Amino acid sequence: MRTRPLKVALLGCGVVGSEVARIMTTHADDLAARIGAPVELAGVAVRRPSRVREGIDPALVTTDATALVKRGDIDVVVEVIGGIEPARTLITTAFEHGASVVSANKALLAQDGAALHAAAGEHGKDLYYEAAVAGAIPLIRPLRESLAGDKINRVMGIVNGTTNFILDKMDSTGAGYQEALDEATALGYAEADPTADVEGFDAAAKAAILAGIAFHTRVRLDDVYREGMTEVTAADFASAKEMGCTIKLLAICERAADGGSVTARVHPAMIPLTHPLASVRGAYNAVFVESDAAGQLMFYGPGAGGAPTASAVLGDLVAVCRNRLSGATGPGESAYAALTVSPMGDVVTRYHISLDVADKPGVLAQVATVFAEHGVSIDTVRQQGRQDGGGEASLVVVTHRASDASLTGTVEALRKLDTVRGVASIMRVEGE
């Protein structure tokens, strides 16, 4: 074993960063044995140096992150500060000064992953980011290494624990959205401002990363269709249960049937209770992968939190340090396929549409005619009069597979019918 330690600079020492530092210290001997050399925490860049950080030598703490990554003796920079800047500049500066990088920064990788990979390649360094998607779950490495010889056709998953907790609570208790969100906030699953989670921004960034790796194509955050879950109601769950389904906020990345294009999207969807993702409860994450040779695979585990995310960071740190010792680098960006990223209008799936209609003869025939005129085939229809009377009824239509564009045209035409009082909800049906 080499006795000279590999030096690590840690950018950020919050929930995840502090766990990274703790594991590096408490598991130092094991890490050294696995890597072939000791690892040494050489500096920790923070915004508030006065805060007490248990187990970290105050002499290592600095507010000058730029000077830390420019030192020249740093072997690996671990970036867990998040956001676009200064993280982007610090990472590229680290490459320029001889360090490889381990990052957990999903937003930056989704927006500028190609440029970061190019910078790493230019300087012959590693860029690893297992912790950027699904916390502790090994996912990035299996997709870009274990399945590198296979053709991946679809990646569908629950990649945000906050939203899964809220939807699971609504499903299991009948709670409304706000009530479930309040509980998630009280338990620490949701931030004071939950917008990034509940509006799908967090999941969309992860979808961009997963699609790029799975399909060997550059997929940016702007390419991902995003729809939040704030409009999901208890009535939607009641309808889902009648169909033998539940509702999840899903990130879905798939290759077109002709293989010439891909799509990436995030939105709430009904999935059958028989699907493995339906049983993912609480704040857990799970990703379902479908490929030609391996078939169906599912990766499951805690998708957030200090210790789980730090576990993924440390796994990358071990891999990068091993590469450093051997003088090699791991896999970089694979974008050779350069497939077209299709818009949401091209996506084909099933739909569940709930309409408020006049409770009188002939309404169903009118509605069915509109669907037929737009080329959308109906699978099932259920009509029920309102208990409170008032001359209105609920009409639920479940379609066969149709494109998003054709369904949009259908709904626009339905709104123009005098007998249709309103469109209560539209939800995609996935996993079949």
Coordinates of all heavy atoms in Angstrom, one line a residue, residues 277-339:
L277 N -43.3 -0.5 -8.9 CA -43.1 0.8 -8.4 C -44.3 1.2 -7.5 O -44.2 2.1 -6.7 CB -43.0 1.8 -9.6 CG -41.7 1.8 -10.3 CD1 -41.8 2.8 -11.5 CD2 -40.5 2.1 -9.5
A278 N -45.5 0.5 -7.7 CA -46.6 0.9 -6.9 C -46.4 0.6 -5.4 O -47.1 1.2 -4.6 CB -47.9 0.1 -7.4
S279 N -45.6 -0.3 -5.1 CA -45.4 -0.7 -3.7 C -44.3 0.1 -3.0 O -44.0 -0.1 -1.8 CB -45.0 -2.2 -3.6 OG -43.8 -2.4 -4.3
V280 N -43.7 1.1 -3.7 CA -42.7 1.9 -3.1 C -43.4 3.0 -2.2 O -44.1 3.8 -2.6 CB -41.8 2.6 -4.2 CG1 -40.8 3.6 -3.5 CG2 -41.2 1.6 -5.1
R281 N -43.1 2.9 -0.9 CA -43.8 3.7 0.1 C -42.9 4.8 0.7 O -41.7 4.7 0.6 CB -44.3 2.8 1.2 CG -45.1 1.5 0.8 CD -46.3 1.8 -0.1 NE -47.3 2.6 0.7 CZ -48.3 2.0 1.3 NH1 -48.4 0.7 1.4 NH2 -49.2 2.8 2.0
G282 N -43.6 5.7 1.4 CA -42.9 6.7 2.2 C -41.9 7.5 1.3 O -42.3 7.9 0.2
A283 N -40.8 7.9 1.8 CA -39.8 8.7 1.2 C -38.8 7.9 0.4 O -37.8 8.5 0.0 CB -39.1 9.6 2.2
Y284 N -39.1 6.7 0.1 CA -38.1 5.9 -0.7 C -38.2 6.2 -2.2 O -39.2 6.7 -2.7 CB -38.4 4.4 -0.4 CG -37.7 3.9 0.8 CD1 -38.2 4.3 2.1 CD2 -36.6 3.1 0.7 CE1 -37.5 3.8 3.2 CE2 -35.9 2.7 1.9 CZ -36.4 3.0 3.1 OH -35.8 2.6 4.2
N285 N -37.1 5.9 -2.9 CA -37.0 6.0 -4.3 C -36.9 4.6 -4.9 O -36.4 3.7 -4.3 CB -35.7 6.8 -4.7 CG -35.9 8.3 -4.5 OD1 -35.0 9.0 -5.0 ND2 -36.9 8.7 -3.8
A286 N -37.2 4.5 -6.2 CA -37.0 3.3 -7.0 C -37.0 3.6 -8.4 O -37.8 4.5 -8.9 CB -38.1 2.2 -6.6
V287 N -36.2 2.9 -9.2 CA -36.1 3.1 -10.6 C -36.2 1.8 -11.3 O -35.5 0.8 -11.0 CB -34.8 3.8 -11.0 CG1 -34.6 4.0 -12.5 CG2 -34.7 5.2 -10.3
F288 N -37.0 1.7 -12.3 CA -37.3 0.5 -13.1 C -36.7 0.7 -14.5 O -37.0 1.6 -15.2 CB -38.9 0.4 -13.2 CG -39.3 -1.0 -13.6 CD1 -39.3 -2.1 -12.7 CD2 -39.9 -1.2 -14.9 CE1 -39.7 -3.3 -13.0 CE2 -40.3 -2.5 -15.2 CZ -40.3 -3.5 -14.3
V289 N -35.8 -0.3 -14.8 CA -35.1 -0.2 -16.1 C -35.5 -1.4 -17.0 O -35.6 -2.5 -16.5 CB -33.6 -0.2 -15.8 CG1 -32.8 -0.2 -17.2 CG2 -33.2 1.0 -15.0
E290 N -35.8 -1.1 -18.2 CA -36.1 -2.1 -19.2 C -35.1 -2.1 -20.3 O -34.9 -1.0 -21.0 CB -37.5 -1.9 -19.8 CG -38.6 -1.9 -18.7 CD -40.0 -1.5 -19.3 OE1 -40.2 -2.0 -20.4 OE2 -40.7 -0.8 -18.6
S291 N -34.4 -3.2 -20.6 CA -33.4 -3.3 -21.6 C -33.6 -4.6 -22.5 O -34.4 -5.5 -22.1 CB -32.0 -3.3 -21.0 OG -31.8 -4.5 -20.3
D292 N -32.9 -4.6 -23.6 CA -33.1 -5.7 -24.5 C -32.7 -7.1 -23.9 O -33.4 -8.0 -23.9 CB -32.3 -5.5 -25.8 CG -33.1 -4.7 -26.8 OD1 -34.2 -4.3 -26.5 OD2 -32.6 -4.4 -27.9
A293 N -31.4 -7.1 -23.4 CA -30.9 -8.4 -22.9 C -31.2 -8.7 -21.5 O -31.6 -9.8 -21.1 CB -29.4 -8.4 -23.2
A294 N -31.0 -7.7 -20.6 CA -31.2 -7.9 -19.2 C -32.7 -8.0 -18.8 O -33.0 -8.6 -17.8 CB -30.5 -6.8 -18.4
G295 N -33.5 -7.4 -19.6 CA -34.9 -7.4 -19.3 C -35.3 -6.3 -18.4 O -34.9 -5.2 -18.5
Q296 N -36.1 -6.7 -17.3 CA -36.5 -5.7 -16.4 C -35.7 -5.8 -15.1 O -35.6 -6.8 -14.5 CB -38.0 -5.9 -16.1 CG -38.9 -5.8 -17.3 CD -40.4 -6.0 -17.0 OE1 -40.7 -6.8 -16.0 NE2 -41.3 -5.4 -17.7
L297 N -35.3 -4.6 -14.6 CA -34.5 -4.5 -13.4 C -35.1 -3.4 -12.6 O -35.6 -2.4 -13.1 CB -33.0 -4.1 -13.7 CG -32.3 -5.0 -14.8 CD1 -31.0 -4.3 -15.2 CD2 -32.0 -6.4 -14.2
M298 N -35.0 -3.5 -11.2 CA -35.4 -2.4 -10.4 C -34.4 -2.1 -9.3 O -33.9 -3.1 -8.7 CB -36.8 -2.7 -9.7 CG -37.4 -1.4 -9.1 SD -39.1 -1.5 -8.6 CE -39.0 -2.1 -6.9
F299 N -34.1 -0.9 -9.1 CA -33.2 -0.4 -8.1 C -34.0 0.4 -7.1 O -34.8 1.3 -7.4 CB -32.1 0.5 -8.8 CG -31.4 -0.1 -9.9 CD1 -31.9 -0.2 -11.1 CD2 -30.1 -0.7 -9.6 CE1 -31.2 -0.8 -12.2 CE2 -29.4 -1.3 -10.6 CZ -29.9 -1.3 -11.9
Y300 N -33.8 0.0 -5.8 CA -34.7 0.5 -4.7 C -33.9 0.9 -3.5 O -32.9 0.2 -3.2 CB -35.7 -0.5 -4.4 CG -36.5 -0.3 -3.1 CD1 -37.6 0.5 -3.1 CD2 -36.1 -0.8 -1.9 CE1 -38.4 0.8 -2.0 CE2 -36.9 -0.6 -0.7 CZ -38.0 0.2 -0.8 OH -38.7 0.4 0.3
G301 N -34.3 2.0 -2.8 CA -33.6 2.4 -1.6 C -33.9 3.8 -1.2 O -34.7 4.5 -1.8
P302 N -33.2 4.3 -0.1 CA -33.4 5.7 0.3 C -32.8 6.6 -0.7 O -31.7 6.5 -1.1 CB -32.7 5.7 1.7 CG -31.7 4.6 1.6 CD -32.3 3.5 0.8
G303 N -33.6 7.6 -1.1 CA -33.2 8.5 -2.2 C -32.6 9.8 -1.7 O -32.3 10.7 -2.5
A304 N -32.6 10.0 -0.4 CA -32.1 11.3 0.1 C -31.6 11.1 1.5 O -31.6 10.0 2.0 CB -33.2 12.4 0.0
G305 N -31.1 12.3 2.1 CA -30.6 12.2 3.5 C -29.1 12.2 3.5 O -28.5 11.8 2.6
G306 N -28.6 12.7 4.6 CA -27.2 12.9 4.7 C -26.4 11.6 4.6 O -25.5 11.5 3.7
A307 N -26.6 10.6 5.4 CA -25.8 9.4 5.3 C -26.0 8.6 4.0 O -25.1 8.1 3.4 CB -26.2 8.5 6.5
P308 N -27.3 8.4 3.5 CA -27.4 7.7 2.3 C -26.7 8.4 1.1 O -26.1 7.7 0.3 CB -29.0 7.6 2.1 CG -29.5 7.7 3.4 CD -28.6 8.7 4.2
T309 N -26.9 9.7 1.0 CA -26.2 10.4 -0.1 C -24.7 10.3 0.1 O -24.0 10.2 -0.9 CB -26.7 11.8 -0.1 OG1 -28.1 11.9 -0.2 CG2 -26.1 12.6 -1.4
A310 N -24.2 10.5 1.3 CA -22.8 10.4 1.5 C -22.2 9.0 1.2 O -21.1 8.9 0.7 CB -22.5 10.7 3.0
S311 N -23.0 8.0 1.3 CA -22.6 6.6 0.9 C -22.3 6.6 -0.6 O -21.3 6.0 -1.0 CB -23.7 5.6 1.2 OG -23.4 4.4 0.7
A312 N -23.2 7.2 -1.4 CA -22.9 7.3 -2.8 C -21.7 8.1 -3.1 O -20.9 7.8 -4.0 CB -24.1 7.8 -3.5
V313 N -21.5 9.2 -2.4 CA -20.3 10.1 -2.6 C -19.1 9.3 -2.3 O -18.1 9.3 -3.1 CB -20.4 11.3 -1.7 CG1 -19.1 12.1 -1.8 CG2 -21.5 12.2 -2.2
L314 N -19.1 8.6 -1.2 CA -17.9 7.8 -0.8 C -17.6 6.7 -1.8 O -16.4 6.3 -2.1 CB -18.0 7.2 0.6 CG -17.4 8.1 1.7 CD1 -15.9 8.2 1.6 CD2 -18.0 9.5 1.7
G315 N -18.6 6.1 -2.4 CA -18.4 5.1 -3.4 C -17.7 5.6 -4.6 O -16.7 5.0 -5.2
D316 N -18.1 6.8 -5.0 CA -17.4 7.5 -6.1 C -16.0 7.9 -5.7 O -15.1 7.8 -6.5 CB -18.2 8.8 -6.5 CG -19.4 8.5 -7.4 OD1 -19.5 7.3 -7.9 OD2 -20.1 9.4 -7.7
L317 N -15.8 8.3 -4.5 CA -14.5 8.7 -4.0 C -13.5 7.6 -4.1 O -12.4 7.7 -4.6 CB -14.6 9.3 -2.6 CG -13.2 9.7 -2.0 CD1 -12.6 10.9 -2.8 CD2 -13.4 10.1 -0.5
V318 N -14.0 6.4 -3.7 CA -13.1 5.2 -3.8 C -12.7 4.9 -5.2 O -11.6 4.7 -5.5 CB -13.8 4.0 -3.1 CG1 -13.1 2.7 -3.4 CG2 -13.9 4.2 -1.6
A319 N -13.7 4.9 -6.1 CA -13.5 4.6 -7.5 C -12.5 5.6 -8.1 O -11.5 5.3 -8.9 CB -14.8 4.6 -8.3
V320 N -12.7 6.9 -7.8 CA -11.8 8.0 -8.4 C -10.4 7.9 -7.9 O -9.4 8.0 -8.6 CB -12.4 9.4 -8.2 CG1 -11.4 10.5 -8.5 CG2 -13.7 9.5 -9.0
C321 N -10.3 7.6 -6.6 CA -8.9 7.4 -6.0 C -8.2 6.2 -6.5 O -7.0 6.3 -6.8 CB -9.1 7.3 -4.4 SG -9.5 8.8 -3.6
R322 N -8.9 5.1 -6.8 CA -8.3 4.0 -7.4 C -7.8 4.3 -8.8 O -6.7 3.9 -9.2 CB -9.3 2.8 -7.5 CG -9.6 2.1 -6.2 CD -10.8 1.2 -6.4 NE -11.0 0.4 -5.2 CZ -12.1 -0.4 -5.0 NH1 -13.0 -0.5 -5.9 NH2 -12.2 -1.1 -3.9
N323 N -8.6 5.1 -9.6 CA -8.2 5.5 -10.9 C -6.9 6.4 -10.8 O -6.0 6.3 -11.6 CB -9.3 6.3 -11.6 CG -10.5 5.4 -12.0 OD1 -10.4 4.2 -12.0 ND2 -11.6 6.0 -12.3
R324 N -6.9 7.2 -9.8 CA -5.8 8.1 -9.6 C -4.5 7.4 -9.4 O -3.5 7.7 -9.9 CB -6.1 9.0 -8.4 CG -5.2 10.2 -8.2 CD -5.7 11.4 -9.0 NE -4.9 12.6 -8.7 CZ -5.1 13.8 -9.2 NH1 -6.1 13.9 -10.1 NH2 -4.4 14.8 -8.9
L325 N -4.6 6.3 -8.6 CA -3.4 5.5 -8.3 C -2.9 4.8 -9.5 O -1.7 4.6 -9.7 CB -3.7 4.5 -7.2 CG -3.9 5.1 -5.7 CD1 -4.2 4.0 -4.8 CD2 -2.6 5.9 -5.3
S326 N -3.9 4.3 -10.3 CA -3.5 3.5 -11.5 C -3.1 4.4 -12.7 O -2.7 3.8 -13.7 CB -4.6 2.5 -11.9 OG -5.8 3.2 -12.3
G327 N -3.4 5.7 -12.6 CA -3.1 6.5 -13.7 C -4.1 6.5 -14.8 O -3.9 6.8 -16.0
A328 N -5.3 6.0 -14.5 CA -6.4 5.8 -15.5 C -7.5 6.8 -15.1 O -7.5 7.4 -14.1 CB -6.9 4.4 -15.5
T329 N -8.5 6.8 -16.0 CA -9.8 7.5 -15.7 C -10.9 6.6 -16.1 O -10.8 5.7 -16.9 CB -9.9 8.8 -16.6 OG1 -9.8 8.5 -18.0 CG2 -8.9 9.8 -16.2
G330 N -12.0 6.8 -15.4 CA -13.2 6.0 -15.6 C -14.0 6.5 -16.8 O -13.5 7.4 -17.6
P331 N -15.2 6.0 -17.1 CA -16.0 6.4 -18.3 C -16.4 7.8 -18.2 O -16.8 8.3 -17.2 CB -17.2 5.4 -18.2 CG -17.3 5.0 -16.8 CD -15.9 5.0 -16.3
G332 N -16.3 8.5 -19.3 CA -16.7 9.9 -19.4 C -18.1 9.9 -20.1 O -18.9 9.0 -20.0
E333 N -18.4 11.0 -20.7 CA -19.7 11.2 -21.4 C -19.7 10.3 -22.6 O -18.8 10.2 -23.4 CB -19.9 12.6 -21.8 CG -21.3 12.8 -22.5 CD -21.4 14.2 -23.1 OE1 -20.4 14.8 -23.6 OE2 -22.6 14.7 -23.1
S334 N -20.9 9.6 -22.8 CA -21.1 8.8 -24.0 C -22.4 9.4 -24.7 O -23.5 9.2 -24.2 CB -21.4 7.3 -23.6 OG -21.7 6.6 -24.8
A335 N -22.1 10.2 -25.7 CA -23.2 10.8 -26.4 C -23.2 10.5 -27.9 O -23.7 11.3 -28.7 CB -23.1 12.3 -26.2
Y336 N -22.5 9.4 -28.3 CA -22.3 9.1 -29.7 C -23.6 8.9 -30.4 O -23.7 9.2 -31.6 CB -21.5 7.8 -29.8 CG -22.3 6.5 -29.4 CD1 -23.0 5.8 -30.4 CD2 -22.3 6.1 -28.1 CE1 -23.7 4.7 -30.1 CE2 -23.1 5.0 -27.8 CZ -23.8 4.3 -28.8 OH -24.5 3.2 -28.5
A337 N -24.7 8.4 -29.8 CA -25.9 8.1 -30.5 C -26.6 9.4 -31.0 O -27.2 9.4 -32.1 CB -26.9 7.4 -29.5
A338 N -26.5 10.5 -30.3 CA -27.0 11.8 -30.7 C -28.5 11.7 -31.2 O -28.8 12.2 -32.3 CB -26.1 12.4 -31.7
L339 N -29.3 11.0 -30.5 CA -30.7 10.8 -30.9 C -31.5 12.1 -30.7 O -31.1 12.9 -29.9 CB -31.3 9.7 -30.1 CG -30.7 8.3 -30.2 CD1 -31.4 7.3 -29.2 CD2 -30.8 7.8 -31.6

